[in-house]
Amino acid sequence: REEGAHEIALAEGRRKEAVEQLQAIQLRLKDSEERNTRLEQELQRVKQSQRGTSESQLMVEAASLRTKKEELEGKLAREEDLHAACRRQLATALERLGAMREEEHERELDHVKLLMHAKSESQEIREERQQLDALRSQLQELKSRDPRS
């Protein structure tokens, strides 16, 4: 029972850690999305302000922004992968926790069954002793009546 409780505590700790990691990832994802939105807005402002800029210069800036965007998308993909891994880890921990709870329940049922069996056996022994005592008493009574004794 203590081992099961310990396993449950460990699983709960892992679950809590996974949830915290998930929340941190979600926060980073939100920050990345906000940053991406700001960059898109900045790109629009730059396009508006640089309508008079040469085409080659605009191409350089566009390439730079594309690179930045690709970096952010790569970071987002890594964060999403990490998020998925955390979800899988949490699901596994929850499955283990469920299995441990089921095992603990089975152990408790077995314990109750053993106690009930022990009580039944104890009652049978008491009844057999009473019968034996009654037979001894009858035997003693018969011996005391018998003149040969």
Side-chain angles (χ1 to χ4, degrees):
R1 182 176 277 196
E2 289 178 14
E3 183 180 323
H6 179 68
E7 288 293 322
I8 289 171
L10 288 175
E12 287 291 336
R14 289 190 298 265
R15 184 194 65 79
K16 184 179 178 184
E17 183 180 315
V19 167
E20 290 171 357
Q21 288 176 352
L22 176 61
Q23 289 171 344
I25 290 168
Q26 287 172 333
L27 181 62
R28 288 196 306 256
L29 176 62
K30 182 182 174 209
D31 290 344
S32 294
E33 289 173 345
E34 289 173 356
R35 197 170 343 142
N36 191 28
T37 301
R38 283 193 310 272
L39 287 173
E40 290 290 310
Q41 290 171 348
E42 185 180 328
L43 176 61
Q44 293 302 322
R45 273 189 287 119
V46 168
K47 284 182 178 180
Q48 289 293 345
S49 69
Q50 299 200 354
R51 293 247 186 247
T53 306
S54 71
E55 188 176 331
S56 62
Q57 190 176 5
L58 287 174
M59 302 262 298
V60 168
E61 286 184 38
S64 172
L65 289 173
R66 271 193 295 278
T67 302
K68 211 174 206 183
K69 180 183 174 195
E70 288 170 1
E71 288 172 3
L72 289 173
E73 287 173 343
K75 185 175 181 180
L76 176 63
R78 287 188 300 277
E79 294 294 333
E80 286 173 342
D81 290 344
L82 184 58
H83 173 76
C86 286
R87 279 188 178 267
R88 286 190 300 274
Q89 186 179 19
L90 178 59
T92 302
L94 289 174
E95 287 174 7
R96 278 188 266 145
L97 177 61
M100 287 187 291
R101 284 183 177 164
E102 182 65 27
E103 289 171 5
E104 177 65 22
H105 180 69
E106 290 296 324
R107 280 194 296 271
E108 288 174 3
L109 286 177
D110 288 344
H111 181 71
V112 168
K113 287 177 185 176
L114 283 174
L115 286 175
M116 290 175 63
H117 183 70
K119 283 183 180 181
S120 173
E121 290 287 323
S122 178
Q123 181 64 30
E124 285 180 31
I125 290 171
R126 272 195 298 278
E127 290 171 1
E128 288 175 359
R129 279 190 181 152
Q130 287 174 350
Q131 289 175 355
L132 183 60
D133 287 342
L135 288 174
R136 281 183 185 152
S137 293
Q138 287 176 357
L139 183 61
Q140 282 296 16
E141 194 177 311
L142 290 174
K143 279 184 181 180
S144 66
R145 287 187 198 165
D146 188 9
R148 289 180 286 165
S149 307

